[in-house]
Structures are given as structure tokens and as C-alpha cells.
Amino acid sequence: MTHEGQALVAQGLELTTPHGRVFGPVDWVLPPRTHGAVLGVQGSGRSAFLLAITGRMRGLTGTLRVGDLDGLRQPRLLRHRSAVARITDLVELEPDLTVAEAADEHALADGIGVRRGRESFMALQEAIDHHFAPSARVDTLSAYERTLLAALLACQRPAHHIVLDDVDDALTVPQLQELYRAMDLLGALGHSFVVSALESSALPRGAAVLHLPPPQTREALSLSFGHLRPRVITQES
């Protein structure tokens, strides 16, 4: 099922560690069927915030709701209602896989099965009028195509929102605008994205924007990244 008509609402959402504040407190609303953009400099907590709104970050305080779902008390259900396309250095496409293998692996990880995943992936490619060669290796794709592929794979199953970290990384302005056009087409099918980018980057059309302030400390933060896919982290920290 999709979750149309339900807004994501963060109130006083904050993450701190013994080394300092990672982000927050944040007040932000992502309206239904709307893309979001989380902007900030490096180290401002963009990746951590994306993990937080997908139920994959511990130690949060404040309030996080998706409709009647309490994201802090029901993180497992929040993980089910959301999807991760990319979190830099944590959730990435496997470079040695072909496009077809990546699609099958993603479908299995999402619990929808290979057959359903292949049907969904084909329909998504048709929707944006961009077809990947099934035998192409991920590491031979351009930065734009890898980003687009990650976005499509995250749409294989219904989700309230899909997060995509560092959307502007290695993309030209025309490529970023083309990616946003594809996201608009996917949005018409009910797939809402929350992207992170630098403050100076172009934004998805009509996006709900969140600006994160610069970090308070340069000291490396010891974050607890729980509940990521087993192929990324094999045990909880």
C-alpha cells in the first residue's frame, strides 16, 4: 500500500552524542506527495537526518511522525514505510554487479521477490523513458546513471518517502535538473524523495526545504548507525 495523505512531521527532532550535537532541534513538515530537500555544508548532519527519518538512527529525541505512526517509538514500522536509495559510504550500489543483478538483489532485500522486482523495475524505466542495459556493470555507469539507478531501485516497493543522500555529488547542473525531471515523473506514481545536497545546489520543483546549520564541532562524531542492510553493516553498533 502507499501512504497518500500522510505528512511527515518532525518537531524538536535532535541527535546528540558525547562529542556534540549532530543535528537539531529540527521542526520540519514534508507534505504528502511532495519531494523534500535537506541542505547544509559537509558535517551538518544531512546523512544522519536522512537515516533518522527512515527509522535507521538511534539516540533521537523530539517527535517524528508519519500520519499516525510514531517514528521514534515504532522505528521498525517506519523502516517499512520508507526506503533508502543512497546514504553516502553506508548504502551504495555494489560496483561489481550488473544492472540486472543489482535489481534482483534489491528486490530480494526489500522482500518483494525477483519476479515482482523485475516487473516493477521495467515499469519504472518505462515511466521515465530511460532504459538501462541489463548486462552493464554498475561501475561502468556514469555518475548520473548510478544515481538514477539507485533512485529507481528504491521505488520497487511502495514507500511513504525515499531518501537519497548527496544528490548533487559529481553531477552537472543539467544532469541534476534531468534527475529532478525523472523524480517528478516518479512522483506522479506516488514516489516522494527526500534528497540531501549542498546549500548552493538546485532543488526539486516545489520541494519542502530544510536548512541544517553548520556543525558546532569539528571533532569526529561517534554515531550509532543501527538497522541498515546486512550487506552494509553486519552487526549493530
Side-chain angles (χ1 to χ4, degrees):
M1 62 175 295
T2 58
H3 305 280
E4 298 180 8
Q6 296 183 338
L8 182 151
V9 180
Q11 293 180 311
L13 189 65
E14 186 173 9
L15 177 64
T16 59
T17 76
H19 302 284
R21 181 180 294 113
V22 182
F23 67 77
V26 169
D27 295 320
W28 187 58
V29 176
L30 179 68
R33 299 182 67 87
T34 303
H35 297 314
V38 181
L39 306 181
V41 300
Q42 186 175 2
S44 58
R46 293 174 300 167
S47 299
F49 183 81
L50 295 187
L51 288 168
I53 64 172
T54 56
R56 292 163 172 85
M57 180 61 71
R58 297 173 180 169
L60 297 165
T61 57
T63 302
L64 176 63
R65 304 193 69 88
V66 176
D68 60 352
L69 169 65
D70 187 328
L72 269 58
R73 294 192 177 190
Q74 301 170 288
R76 184 183 297 273
L77 187 53
L78 179 56
R79 292 194 294 274
H80 180 71
R81 290 194 184 181
S82 60
V84 177
R86 181 176 70 201
I87 297 293
T88 303
D89 296 330
L90 287 174
V91 181
E92 304 265 9
L93 296 175
E94 295 286 352
D96 295 333
L97 296 181
T98 65
V99 169
E101 290 168 341
D104 288 350
E105 182 194 64
H106 205 285
L108 289 172
D110 276 345
I112 63 174
V114 169
R115 180 177 178 178
R116 181 182 169 194
R118 289 176 178 177
E119 293 173 349
S120 177
F121 184 52
M122 181 60 68
L124 291 165
Q125 291 180 94
E126 292 284 349
I128 66 170
D129 194 24
H130 186 106
H131 294 267
F132 291 88
S135 60
R137 280 171 47 117
V138 169
D139 61 359
T140 66
L141 301 177
S142 66
Y144 168 75
E145 287 189 310
R146 289 195 302 272
T147 304
L148 182 61
L149 177 60
L152 287 184
L153 295 183
C155 294
Q156 284 181 302
R157 68 168 176 84
H160 178 274
H161 55 280
I162 301 164
V163 300
L164 177 55
D165 200 15
D166 290 328
V167 67
D168 54 340
D169 185 35
L171 300 187
T172 64
V173 171
Q175 287 174 331
L176 193 56
Q177 292 173 338
E178 185 65 25
L179 179 67
Y180 289 156
R181 281 192 286 270
M183 284 185 180
D184 282 342
L185 294 172
L186 295 171
L189 300 178
H191 303 288
S192 297
F193 286 84
V194 180
V195 302
S196 77
L198 297 174
E199 285 281 359
S200 58
S201 297
L203 303 178
R205 183 177 54 181
V209 181
L210 170 64
H211 297 273
L212 295 179
Q216 294 183 331
T217 175
R218 294 185 179 181
E219 185 176 2
L221 298 176
S222 300
L223 304 182
S224 177
F225 296 105
H227 306 293
L228 290 173
R229 292 183 180 175
R231 65 184 178 86
V232 179
I233 292 180
T234 57
Q235 61 182 12
E236 297 178 6
S237 55

